[in-house]
Amino acid sequence: MVNAQLKAEIKAYAQSIGVQKIGFTHADYFQTLEKRLTFAAEHDLLTGFEHPVIKERVDPSVIFEEPRSIIAIALAYPNQTDNNLRSKRGEWRGVFARASWGVDYHTILREKLALIEAFIKEKVPTARFKSMVDTGELSDVAVAERAGIGWRGKNTLLITPEFGSFVYLGEMITNLEFEADEPMADGCGECTQCIKACPTGALLGEGRMDGKECLSYQTQTKGMMPERFREKLHNRLYGCDTCQVVCPYNRGKDFHLHPEMEPEEAKIKPLLKPLLTISNREFKETFGPMAGSWRGKKPLQRNAILILGRYKDQTAVPDLVNCLLEDPRPVIRGTAAYSLSKIGGGIAYDALIAAEKEETDAEAYQEISKALLQLSEKEGSY
Ligand code: SF4
Ligand code: SF4
């Protein structure tokens, strides 16, 4: 068997550095993935966050000279917090999805992959690697699936029997040949719980997803959030875990195996009002190390404004009026207008009237006019 001894040593080493699962696969073309990505591209189901060149995503030989194998790793992450911090009237909190708890997982997994590279290199100096986590060309889920780490569920995530879908994935292409592990059989069967639970209908069945309809994507965009998602956002500041939470394979799964992945409740369930006035420096210090800050503070502030509007938080009116009248970013002004119309009251109305006179951005102006109209219809004129 090719490099069987080395494979066993790599597995043992990976385990010793805190990798929960490791799998090996050949470096052939990913045919099923190509079909899936082509279908998604043709039906406008991609978000634009994905690596743009399909050929590079499905053919390792395009991005690596003479690839022989791909090694996939999975690290389990926590599912539960102590749950000490709860929202109260006037002190509403938003939530970050689990993949943003603790230190950015990209950093943690890259370190593990670098350690494994160094371990192999010491034994085989001619070994070459290309490692990636999430943002690389390859699909982490497709690689892990083929390497036998788990199966791709109808929620499009990789599900492992041991840790459910609460695993971070990474992989490395190498010029070394290893015997491939066996892929796992599909475990979803007739279950459709994730599809039924998705608040936006983004899961289309057969493992397909309309990426742009997914709230996880919507929480990360920088423009105005389309109106149909605003109420469905609920209290999500970043990401969405609904299709993981309902999955039967995640029931009872909660692993705390990496201290750096432990969530700090005040950061993953932050108070919303202070987020509206947070300075760049404070934002970087507080949220910078988290995966959920990668798009900067604007999407999170926009989401915080929407959540405050949904909760009809009267105590947030002064901060929202400030956003509406003073913020230099049209998206923040327009979103504040929307939420003020949800909360209502004379102060909100007067602020919207003043904002309508001053607004120069077309999109924000449209939001303000719509907000005024909705407020007048709801409460009559002031
Ligand atoms: S993350 Fe949320 S919105 Fe996206 S597919 Fe899953 S349940 Fe639906
Ligand atoms: S909820 Fe059911 S269908 Fe969806 S991923 Fe989990 S097992 Fe599969």
Side-chain angles (χ1 to χ4, degrees):
M1 254 185 277
V2 201
N3 285 325
Q5 172 68 23
L6 180 59
K7 182 175 169 181
E9 285 171 8
I10 296 169
K11 280 187 170 181
Y13 176 70
Q15 199 180 11
S16 77
I17 59 167
V19 170
Q20 272 66 62
K21 291 198 84 177
I22 182 164
F24 294 69
T25 182
H26 49 78
D28 297 351
Y29 216 81
F30 286 85
Q31 280 175 350
T32 314
L33 178 66
E34 184 180 35
K35 276 190 206 140
R36 192 185 304 135
L37 290 174
T38 307
F39 179 90
E42 283 170 3
H43 292 80
D44 194 25
L45 302 178
L46 298 170
T47 62
F49 285 167
E50 307 88 359
H51 184 76
V53 186
I54 292 183
K55 188 91 183 125
E56 293 178 0
R57 303 202 64 194
V58 300
D59 187 354
S61 72
V62 174
I63 55 169
F64 190 88
E65 203 188 324
E66 294 182 13
R68 294 271 183 273
S69 314
I70 311 176
I71 305 174
I73 63 166
L75 270 68
Y77 62 84
N79 170 22
Q80 300 291 332
T81 66
D82 297 338
N83 212 10
N84 292 325
L85 295 180
R86 310 230 173 164
S87 277
K88 287 188 228 153
R89 191 165 289 282
E91 284 183 30
W92 298 107
R93 295 174 182 276
V95 296
F96 280 81
R98 287 162 179 73
S100 184
W101 292 3
V103 173
D104 187 338
Y105 69 93
H106 299 84
T107 313
I108 301 173
L109 267 84
R110 277 184 199 125
E111 278 171 16
K112 301 289 185 203
L113 289 165
L115 284 172
I116 296 171
E117 279 188 16
F119 177 82
I120 302 175
K121 192 104 184 143
E122 207 182 292
K123 298 187 178 288
V124 187
T126 54
R128 291 181 290 112
F129 311 95
K130 182 176 167 73
S131 289
M132 54 195 93
V133 179
D134 179 40
T135 54
E137 291 90 341
L138 298 184
S139 154
D140 299 338
V141 172
V143 174
E145 187 183 28
R146 200 166 78 181
I149 287 187
W151 74 92
R152 186 174 182 274
K154 288 178 191 158
N155 58 7
T156 75
L157 302 169
L158 189 92
I159 303 178
T160 67
E162 306 89 338
F163 309 101
S165 60
F166 299 125
V167 282
Y168 294 128
L169 305 172
E171 63 273 342
M172 62 172 75
I173 313 175
T174 175
N175 60 333
L176 300 181
E177 192 158 357
F178 294 101
E179 195 189 358
D181 291 322
E182 277 296 308
M184 216 173 266
D186 166 68
C188 286
E190 297 303 307
C191 176
T192 52
Q193 294 206 33
C194 52
I195 297 172
K196 283 189 249 165
C198 174
T200 61
L203 295 173
L204 307 174
E206 296 171 27
R208 288 186 177 140
M209 178 193 216
D210 186 343
K212 287 197 279 294
E213 289 294 303
C214 173
L215 284 178
S216 187
Y217 165 75
Q218 285 297 336
T219 60
Q220 299 173 56
T221 57
K222 291 188 174 175
M224 290 297 302
M225 185 179 288
E227 205 162 337
R228 67 182 185 282
F229 299 116
R230 295 179 193 173
E231 280 288 309
K232 290 179 177 164
L233 188 65
H234 212 275
N235 61 352
R236 297 172 180 88
L237 260 183
Y238 178 85
C240 167
D241 278 334
T242 301
C243 55
Q244 300 211 79
V245 170
V246 299
C247 177
Y249 286 100
N250 284 334
R251 212 165 287 147
K253 302 283 197 304
D254 180 26
F255 292 90
H256 296 261
L257 304 171
H258 305 274
E260 58 278 45
M261 292 180 191
E262 285 306 312
E264 272 182 68
E265 281 211 292
K267 289 186 183 174
I268 62 157
K269 288 193 267 179
L271 286 166
L272 295 170
K273 278 185 290 182
L275 258 186
L276 304 187
T277 50
I278 195 168
S279 68
N280 287 342
R281 199 172 131 201
E282 205 187 332
F283 178 80
K284 218 170 154 190
E285 277 170 13
T286 312
F287 300 102
M290 294 165 61
S293 69
W294 78 287
R295 299 281 284 167
K297 70 178 183 175
K298 189 169 79 169
L300 298 173
Q301 289 179 315
R302 176 202 61 187
N303 301 343
I305 293 170
L306 290 170
I307 301 168
L308 287 165
R310 184 178 177 277
Y311 284 129
K312 300 194 172 24
D313 184 1
Q314 289 286 350
T315 71
V317 168
D319 287 326
L320 293 175
V321 167
N322 194 45
C323 288
L324 174 71
L325 298 174
E326 307 293 341
D327 200 284
R329 299 161 297 178
V331 166
I332 297 297
R333 299 198 296 274
T335 308
Y338 171 84
S339 285
L340 282 167
S341 81
K342 290 273 150 196
I343 299 169
I347 296 173
Y349 185 82
D350 291 345
L352 285 165
I353 291 283
E356 195 181 37
K357 289 193 189 116
E358 300 291 324
E359 187 56 63
T360 52
D361 177 85
E363 199 178 22
Y365 183 86
Q366 209 183 2
E367 287 288 338
I368 294 165
S369 301
K370 211 183 322 168
L372 269 172
L373 194 67
Q374 277 169 1
L375 201 48
S376 312
E377 278 171 6
K378 199 164 63 178
E379 301 182 4
S381 54
Y382 285 85

